[in-house]
């Protein structure tokens, strides 16, 4: 469970995998529920979210208790097999299956409990809970809410421990910032509760790099009172893709708007969503529709044509309606047997406040979209999400192993096959790489980092370390202290 293992480069399925009799015997002796390669449910349980990257585990431990997790870790160590926790299994690089063949996957799917203490607002959340079910449970138990991403099927494990951006993050922080305690199984088989006062060094690294140090079985999360209403909006910018210069000028204006403290505060959050034929501004405003129309919208669209009314959406709605709308689907998802899959490639960029998007970068980006994106037969999108700007609460959080507090934007570029099924063709790989390079200028050399929750399996380990965390984090004494706590030094 070290960082270089977590970020291993993908490998093809081997024609014949070795036997793991010692591992299987140990799991049986310790009474750990398990799915083996000979079992009928193994194929379904080992199917990745991203069908582009398929790996075969040595076995899948179906943990029902924290003790099962600890026992499975000890069995893997004794058999010299890599351990990989699986919460929701949404890893873009299939690292929830180990990122290579022959790992012991510890599935947390059975750990589905969500309990809110209404006296403190703290929710105890099992490591296998998915975001849609979490949002509904805390709302139903006490009208509470949390910052988190939009996809209902994503599990809390990787999402909360690698950052966890959502449309609530500028007002409440990242998903990770709601963590006040973690029950975690360590590499030596022990289990501890980590918080700011109990094992604080471990608590520091678990918030940003948990899968390098342990497996979180229970999250203790400080919830927020859910707003009674919010404003949801999807506003299509008219005629923006006519010319690269037109699109560039429009998004430069949007960037200036996003940094204008006289208009924008923590209550405003949005993303610029681009496809081959449209650009829209999508988000939530934690205020009234009257304030949005009177103050926000006029400045946002100053100097631009009015949004396309027949496609745009602007409503004041209740909290659950807003979450359902940004999700694009119903919030509840199956607790077992979840079967959402895609075949895709994705890359990310972290644009710092100190180096916002330039006119030349945006011109190159939109030129690439007009010349290459419109020729691509398969679906794709690019999302430029506002992280920073005035009053962003992403910056105003305690120290952790998450390095991107000073980001202005985080960009996700994503292309998928038309059917969602393999194979992923070379033109999609090339398009996403080209789109990212166009916006970054010199790519990694431009000084842009990357976001771990959009993990890119095509990076080398050295590139991943640098782009997701940076060399300064690896050199801090607190990380070495945490390695000792986790039984890794």
């Amino acid at each position: 469970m070290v960082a270089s293992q977590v970020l291993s480069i993908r490998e093809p399925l081997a024609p014949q995998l070795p036997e793991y009799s010692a591992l299987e015997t140990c799991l049986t002796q310790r009474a750990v529920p398990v799915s083996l390669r000979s079992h009928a449910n193994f194929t379904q349980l080992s199917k990745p979210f991203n069908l582009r990257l398929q790996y075969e585990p040595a076995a899948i431990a179906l943990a029902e208790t924290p003790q099962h997790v600890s026992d499975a870790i000890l069995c893997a160590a004794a058999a010299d097999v890599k351990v990989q926790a699986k919460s929701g299994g949404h890893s873009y690089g299939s690292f929830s299956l180990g990122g290579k063949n022959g790992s012991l996957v510890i599935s947390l799917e059975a750990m589905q409990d969500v309990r809110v203490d209404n006296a403190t607002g703290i929710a105890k959340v099992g490591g296998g809970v998915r975001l849609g079910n979490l949002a509904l449970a805390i709302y139903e138990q006490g009208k509470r809410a949390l910052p988190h991403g939009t996809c209902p099927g994503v599990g809390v494990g990787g999402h909360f421990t690698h950052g966890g951006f959502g449309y609530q993050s500028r007002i409440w922080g990242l998903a990770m910032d709601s963590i006040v305690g973690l029950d975690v199984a360590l590499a030596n088989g022990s289990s501890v509760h980590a918080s700011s006062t109990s094992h604080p060094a471990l608590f520091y690294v678990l918030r940003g790099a948990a899968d390098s140090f342990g497996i979180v079985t229970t999250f203790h999360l400080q919830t927020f009172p859910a707003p009674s209403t919010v404003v949801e909006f999807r506003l299509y910018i008219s005629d923006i893709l006519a010319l690269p210069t037109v699109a560039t000028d429009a998004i430069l204006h949007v960037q200036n708007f996003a940094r204008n403290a006289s208009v924008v505060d923590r209550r405003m959050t949005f993303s610029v969503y681009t496809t081959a034929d449209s650009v829209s501004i999508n988000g939530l405003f934690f205020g009234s529709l009257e304030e949005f129309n009177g103050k926000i919208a006029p400045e946002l669209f100053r100097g631009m044509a009015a949004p396309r009314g027949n496609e745009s959406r602007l409503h004041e709605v209740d909290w659950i309606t807003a979450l359902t709308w940004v999700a694009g689907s119903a919030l509840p998802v199956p607790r077992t047997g979840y079967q959402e899959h895609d075949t895709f490639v994705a890359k990310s960029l972290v644009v710092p406040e100190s180096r916002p998007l330039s006119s030349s970068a945006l011109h190159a980006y939109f030129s690439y979209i007009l010349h290459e994106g419109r020729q691509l037969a398969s679906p794709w999108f690019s999302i430029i999400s506002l992280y920073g700007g005035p009053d962003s609460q992403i910056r105003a959080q305690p120290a952790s192993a998450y390095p991107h507090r000073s980001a202005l934007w985080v960009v996700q570029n994503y292309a998928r096959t038309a059917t969602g099924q393999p194979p992923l063709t070379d033109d999609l790989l090339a398009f996403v790489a080209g789109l990212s390079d166009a916006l970054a200028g010199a790519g990694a050399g431009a000084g842009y980092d990357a976001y771990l929750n959009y993990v890119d399996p095509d990076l080398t380990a050295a590139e991943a370390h640098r782009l997701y965390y940076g060399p300064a984090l690896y050199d801090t004494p607190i990380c070495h202290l945490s390695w000792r706590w986790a039984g890794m030094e």
Side-chain angles (χ1 to χ4, degrees), residues 103-123:
S103 302
L104 173 63
V105 173
I106 302 180
S107 172
L108 306 179
E109 185 179 69
M111 298 183 179
Q112 292 283 337
D113 193 35
V114 178
R115 285 178 290 164
V116 178
D117 182 339
N118 284 310
T120 63
I122 294 174

Side-chain angles (χ1 to χ4, degrees), residues 56-323:
E56 184 164 298
I60 303 173
L62 306 175
E64 298 173 357
T65 67
Q67 188 61 51
H68 287 156
V69 175
S70 293
D71 286 342
I73 290 171
L74 291 174
C75 287
D80 195 26
V81 172
K82 179 193 171 183
V83 171
Q84 179 61 56
K86 180 183 179 184
S87 176
H90 259 249
S91 169
Y92 280 15
S94 296
F95 290 113
S96 48
L97 293 177
K100 64 178 184 178
N101 295 319
S103 302
L104 173 63
V105 173
I106 302 180
S107 172
L108 306 179
E109 185 179 69
M111 298 183 179
Q112 292 283 337
D113 193 35
V114 178
R115 285 178 290 164
V116 178
D117 182 339
N118 284 310
T120 63
I122 294 174
K124 291 180 65 175
V125 179
V129 175
R130 297 180 187 272
L131 298 184
N133 295 336
L134 171 63
L136 284 172
I138 61 175
Y139 187 81
E140 290 168 354
Q141 291 183 37
K143 297 295 189 291
R144 307 298 291 185
L146 282 164
H148 54 71
T150 61
C151 181
V154 169
V156 296
H159 185 72
F160 272 74
T161 60
H162 293 150
F165 172 79
Y167 280 133
Q168 315 92 327
S169 291
R170 293 193 73 255
I171 191 168
W172 294 332
L174 299 170
M176 181 181 69
D177 300 325
S178 67
I179 298 173
V180 295
L182 296 164
D183 298 339
V184 57
L186 302 177
N188 60 9
S190 65
S191 294
V192 300
H193 177 78
S195 69
S196 61
T197 57
S198 175
H199 309 308
L202 186 60
F203 186 60
Y204 173 94
V205 294
L206 289 173
R207 291 170 302 123
D211 54 358
S212 294
F213 295 92
I215 297 176
V216 178
T217 55
T218 301
F219 291 80
H220 301 255
L221 306 174
Q222 182 62 64
T223 64
F224 297 83
S228 56
T229 61
V230 295
V231 176
E232 62 180 30
F233 57 92
R234 177 181 291 128
L235 306 172
Y236 285 88
I237 305 176
S238 301
D239 303 322
I240 187 173
L241 293 178
L243 293 168
T245 52
V246 173
T248 297
D249 290 345
I251 301 309
L252 283 176
H253 168 73
V254 171
Q255 181 169 257
N256 290 334
F257 162 84
R259 307 178 82 188
N260 183 349
S262 69
V263 180
V264 172
D265 59 25
R266 71 182 69 178
R267 298 174 300 151
M268 179 66 177
T269 180
F270 67 88
S271 298
V272 179
Y273 189 97
T274 302
T275 66
D277 55 10
S278 69
V279 178
S280 62
I281 300 175
N282 307 340
L284 298 177
F285 176 60
F286 289 73
S288 68
L289 184 59
E290 180 182 11
E291 183 180 0
F292 186 91
N293 284 330
K295 179 180 179 181
I296 304 296
E299 181 59 26
L300 177 56
F301 283 91
R302 180 173 54 82
M304 296 193 292
R308 299 199 318 241
N310 59 326
E311 298 172 85
S312 295
R313 178 182 175 95
L314 177 61
H315 298 287
E316 191 167 336
V317 297
D318 66 80
W319 182 238
I320 295 300
T321 298
L323 292 183

Side-chain angles (χ1 to χ4, degrees), residues 6-8 50 52-53 90-96 162 344-348 450-459 464 468:
V6 172
L7 297 169
S8 299
N50 188 356
R52 169 194 171 203
L53 304 167
H90 259 249
S91 169
Y92 280 15
S94 296
F95 290 113
S96 48
H162 293 150
F344 64 93
V345 56
K347 291 185 180 294
S348 66
Y451 177 46
L452 185 54
N453 270 347
Y454 305 146
V455 67
D456 181 354
D458 296 320
L459 296 176
Y468 295 138

Side-chain angles (χ1 to χ4, degrees), residues 230-451:
V230 295
V231 176
E232 62 180 30
F233 57 92
R234 177 181 291 128
L235 306 172
Y236 285 88
I237 305 176
S238 301
D239 303 322
I240 187 173
L241 293 178
L243 293 168
T245 52
V246 173
T248 297
D249 290 345
I251 301 309
L252 283 176
H253 168 73
V254 171
Q255 181 169 257
N256 290 334
F257 162 84
R259 307 178 82 188
N260 183 349
S262 69
V263 180
V264 172
D265 59 25
R266 71 182 69 178
R267 298 174 300 151
M268 179 66 177
T269 180
F270 67 88
S271 298
V272 179
Y273 189 97
T274 302
T275 66
D277 55 10
S278 69
V279 178
S280 62
I281 300 175
N282 307 340
L284 298 177
F285 176 60
F286 289 73
S288 68
L289 184 59
E290 180 182 11
E291 183 180 0
F292 186 91
N293 284 330
K295 179 180 179 181
I296 304 296
E299 181 59 26
L300 177 56
F301 283 91
R302 180 173 54 82
M304 296 193 292
R308 299 199 318 241
N310 59 326
E311 298 172 85
S312 295
R313 178 182 175 95
L314 177 61
H315 298 287
E316 191 167 336
V317 297
D318 66 80
W319 182 238
I320 295 300
T321 298
L323 292 183
T324 302
W325 175 71
V326 298
S329 63
L331 294 181
V333 293
R335 292 191 169 199
T336 60
Y338 179 82
Q339 285 295 303
E340 289 289 331
H341 307 282
D342 201 1
T343 301
F344 64 93
V345 56
K347 291 185 180 294
S348 66
L349 297 168
V350 175
V351 180
E353 292 263 14
S354 60
R355 298 183 66 250
L357 295 170
S358 66
S359 176
S360 59
L362 286 168
H363 192 277
Y365 170 77
F366 283 111
S367 293
Y368 188 86
I369 286 171
L370 292 176
H371 289 103
E372 303 294 336
R374 286 186 164 176
Q375 307 303 317
L376 201 67
S378 297
W380 63 269
F381 61 78
S382 178
I383 306 176
I384 304 176
S385 297
L386 181 64
Y387 267 46
D391 200 30
S392 174
Q393 296 303 291
I394 294 174
R395 289 198 300 269
Q397 300 296 334
S400 67
Y402 183 80
H404 303 310
R405 298 292 180 182
S406 61
L408 176 61
W409 305 104
V410 172
V411 181
Q412 178 183 189
N413 296 322
Y414 185 112
R416 61 186 296 272
T417 62
T419 63
Q421 297 295 314
L424 189 85
T425 53
D426 289 343
D427 61 329
L428 295 184
L429 294 168
F431 172 75
V432 169
L435 186 60
S436 297
D437 287 347
L439 193 58
Y448 289 166
D449 292 330
Y451 177 46

